Amino acid sequence: MRAEESLDEKLMDIIIEERLDNALDDALQKDAGYQQSEQLKRQKCDRLKEIGLTEEQWEEVEEALMADNSYCAIYGELAYRQGFQDGVKNMREKPEGTIPDVISRQELNAILGDVFQKDTGYQQSERLKRKKCNRLRKIKLTEEQWGEVEKALMADSAYCAIYGEIAYQQGFQDGAKIMLELKRLV
């Protein structure tokens, strides 16, 4: 039985990787909230180039933004994977074979909080992000510069939250649809 479970896990990983590269990108491109968030993030980051940061300051700011982007990528992938697994589980438990409505934002936060607490890659990424952001407090920035850096980081965090929510929802739908198709075949 363990070999069968291992094969199921490998198959699920293959499907998830393919769907992450295709379906999630499509869903993100179609979501107006995500597009607005991405545009705002870009604007805030572009604004940083205009506030007179020294090379050293820019390097610190850029490192913090890159750490945040890495964190966001891990966040999105974990959210998608969890959504996919929840969609599969939901369809296994639903005999009527219809794709259910997606869960609420509050339920999503509770589910993902548990997932993130258990994932060491996420934990490391979060620590690095915090460390880089804390280093920003130690470089000398004017009040205006600090305000713009904070705006860019907040825009990046908002973008990441939207990305994770869409990733979970898309994963849930993909997992449910695959299980529905498998039920029809069997």
Side-chain angles (χ1 to χ4, degrees), residues 159-178:
Y159 162 85
C160 188
I162 292 169
Y163 174 70
E165 185 176 326
I166 295 168
Y168 180 87
Q169 307 287 13
Q170 185 64 46
F172 189 93
Q173 292 296 314
D174 287 349
K177 286 176 185 174
I178 286 172

Side-chain angles (χ1 to χ4, degrees), residues 14-33:
I14 290 168
I15 293 168
I16 288 172
E17 288 301 319
E18 190 280 328
R19 299 299 294 166
L20 270 169
D21 290 340
N22 296 310
L24 181 54
D25 285 343
D26 291 345
L28 293 171
Q29 295 309 312
K30 293 175 185 172
D31 188 89

Side-chain angles (χ1 to χ4, degrees), residues 20-66:
L20 270 169
D21 290 340
N22 296 310
L24 181 54
D25 285 343
D26 291 345
L28 293 171
Q29 295 309 312
K30 293 175 185 172
D31 188 89
Y34 173 82
Q35 293 301 318
Q36 289 173 336
S37 175
E38 185 177 43
Q39 183 179 4
L40 178 63
K41 173 186 160 183
R42 233 186 339 265
Q43 289 171 348
K44 297 299 179 188
C45 289
D46 288 346
R47 172 77 177 114
L48 294 176
K49 296 172 187 169
E50 303 167 2
I51 61 172
L53 295 174
T54 66
E55 188 175 326
E56 178 187 346
Q57 290 170 328
W58 177 247
E59 285 175 10
E60 293 290 338
V61 169
E62 193 172 41
E63 282 185 28
L65 289 170
M66 288 189 321

Side-chain angles (χ1 to χ4, degrees), residues 85-103:
Q85 291 168 354
D86 289 350
V88 166
K89 180 181 176 191
N90 191 296
M91 290 307 291
R92 281 183 177 158
E93 295 170 356
K94 284 189 117 335
E96 66 273 6
T98 59
I99 298 174
D101 292 333
V102 180
I103 65 171

Side-chain angles (χ1 to χ4, degrees), residues 106-125:
Q106 192 172 24
E107 291 171 310
L108 174 62
N109 289 337
I111 290 168
L112 294 180
D114 291 342
V115 171
F116 296 149
Q117 293 304 315
K118 295 174 186 172
D119 189 85
T120 56
Y122 174 82
Q123 295 297 321
Q124 289 172 342
S125 176

